[in-house]
Amino acid sequence: MIPLSWYLILGAILFAIGVASFLIKRNIITIFMSIELMLNAVNLTFVAFASHWHQVSGQVFVFFVMVVAAAEAAVGLAIIIAVFRTRETLNVDQVNLLKL
Amino acid sequence: MLHYLLFFIFAGVCLAGALFFLFQRHPVNSALSLIVVMGSLAALFLMLGAEFVAAVQVIVYAGAVMVLFIFVIMLLNAGEEERTRGSKVALILGVPGLIVFFCLMYWTLALPRSQVGHVSIGDFYVSTQQLGIALFREFLLPFEVTSVLVLIAIMGAVVLARRERH
């Protein structure tokens, strides 16, 4: 018997670490990976609540989140490759064409 | 007792992997520690009775998506990132914000006043069959919409990554 809140706290801490690395990291690929970390944290929360409320739909949502994450990863990595081709860098500080 | 032990092992590995991810400077190391996080999350999913989700987590996330990431890292020859100084405003606002966040989380979740309940191994178990029935009956329309989304994502990835000819 584990309190459900432990799972929720673990998910929240993972999400916070994801947000922190999203803000700290300067490499565009690592920033992208921290989004995946955040999605994983949310998945953990979904599964924990599905287990608590005895609902299958929570796990179906996780399935959809994973599909969207996979599609997002494919498109995002293609964009990263395109950015690297035009800018010759992966540092987000140097991708500043829209900056005033 | 066993549940506690398993939870602490996998949650600890998960948190250690996430912190390693945060403090690593080389993208390959970050990607490998993210795989550790995803693997231990799959074990936590199994403990919560989600066998299909755990399998998909290993196959799709730790397998396909992260292989794609590492492939791109090595394709673009990404080296160690150089840290730039963050802005002062972010530091001034971020650290108290983080403290407030954790205090609020502790206050809402960890105090005995809030009875969110318990979960235990074997209490709730979803077989792949049950999940499939739910997916293809209740969630048939979202499932079909998702297939369109994946198709568009495939075409978008091909179009974006294609080298333009002049």
Side-chain angles (χ1 to χ4, degrees):
Chain A
M1 290 288 277
I2 284 192
L4 176 69
S5 51
W6 290 10
Y7 282 103
L8 301 183
I9 287 174
L10 178 64
I13 291 174
L14 282 181
F15 192 88
I17 292 175
V19 173
S21 56
F22 185 90
L23 296 175
I24 288 175
K25 299 278 186 182
R26 281 289 154 261
N27 188 318
I28 192 166
I29 300 175
T30 340
I31 288 177
F32 206 60
M33 280 194 283
S34 47
I35 299 177
E36 301 289 326
L37 183 61
M38 286 190 256
L39 286 171
N40 266 287
V42 173
N43 281 353
L44 179 67
T45 313
F46 263 131
V47 174
F49 270 121
S51 176
H52 180 237
W53 296 112
H54 293 238
Q55 288 284 326
V56 187
S57 12
Q59 298 188 7
V60 178
F61 286 149
V62 172
F63 178 75
F64 286 127
V65 169
M66 281 175 177
V67 173
V68 172
E72 172 232 339
V75 175
L77 288 172
I79 290 174
I80 288 172
I81 290 175
V83 165
F84 186 76
R85 273 208 194 113
T86 51
R87 311 285 299 180
E88 294 287 323
T89 181
L90 287 174
N91 193 334
V92 283
D93 286 335
Q94 290 170 25
V95 186
N96 54 1
L97 212 59
L98 280 176
K99 230 176 187 175
L100 280 174
Chain B
M1 192 59 217
L2 181 70
H3 196 175
Y4 277 93
L5 192 66
L6 286 173
F7 179 82
F8 279 121
I9 289 173
F10 287 115
V13 170
C14 203
L15 281 181
L19 286 174
F20 203 68
F21 171 80
L22 180 57
F23 291 118
Q24 274 303 314
R25 305 183 77 171
H26 203 283
V28 173
N29 295 359
S30 293
L32 292 178
S33 50
L34 195 56
I35 291 176
V36 170
V37 173
M38 286 166 176
S40 47
L41 271 181
L44 287 174
F45 288 165
L46 263 187
M47 284 161 58
L48 287 167
E51 58 157 27
F52 181 75
V53 172
V56 168
Q57 172 90 3
V58 172
I59 294 169
V60 172
Y61 253 131
V65 172
M66 290 319 289
V67 164
L68 199 64
F69 270 102
I70 292 176
F71 209 78
V72 170
I73 290 171
M74 295 191 171
L75 179 74
L76 301 184
N77 198 14
E80 236 171 76
E81 61 180 313
E82 63 266 28
R83 287 278 158 82
T84 45
R85 297 289 302 158
S87 65
K88 266 245 171 71
V89 183
L91 200 68
I92 291 170
L93 289 180
V95 173
L98 203 65
I99 293 169
V100 167
F101 172 73
F102 279 113
C103 290
L104 210 63
M105 208 166 66
Y106 184 78
W107 185 67
T108 38
L109 292 176
L111 291 187
R113 174 186 58 78
S114 63
Q115 292 294 328
V116 261
H118 297 260
V119 285
S120 54
I121 290 182
D123 192 27
F124 177 62
Y125 169 75
V126 176
S127 65
T128 310
Q129 189 184 13
Q130 283 169 285
L131 194 75
I133 288 171
L135 191 62
F136 290 112
R137 284 201 183 139
E138 285 175 69
F139 295 93
L140 185 60
L141 181 66
F143 182 79
E144 297 293 340
V145 172
T146 308
S147 68
V148 177
L149 174 79
V150 171
L151 183 67
I152 294 171
I154 292 168
M155 292 193 294
V158 170
V159 168
L160 281 170
R162 193 183 50 187
R163 198 180 291 274
E164 284 177 36
R165 291 186 198 87
H166 294 290

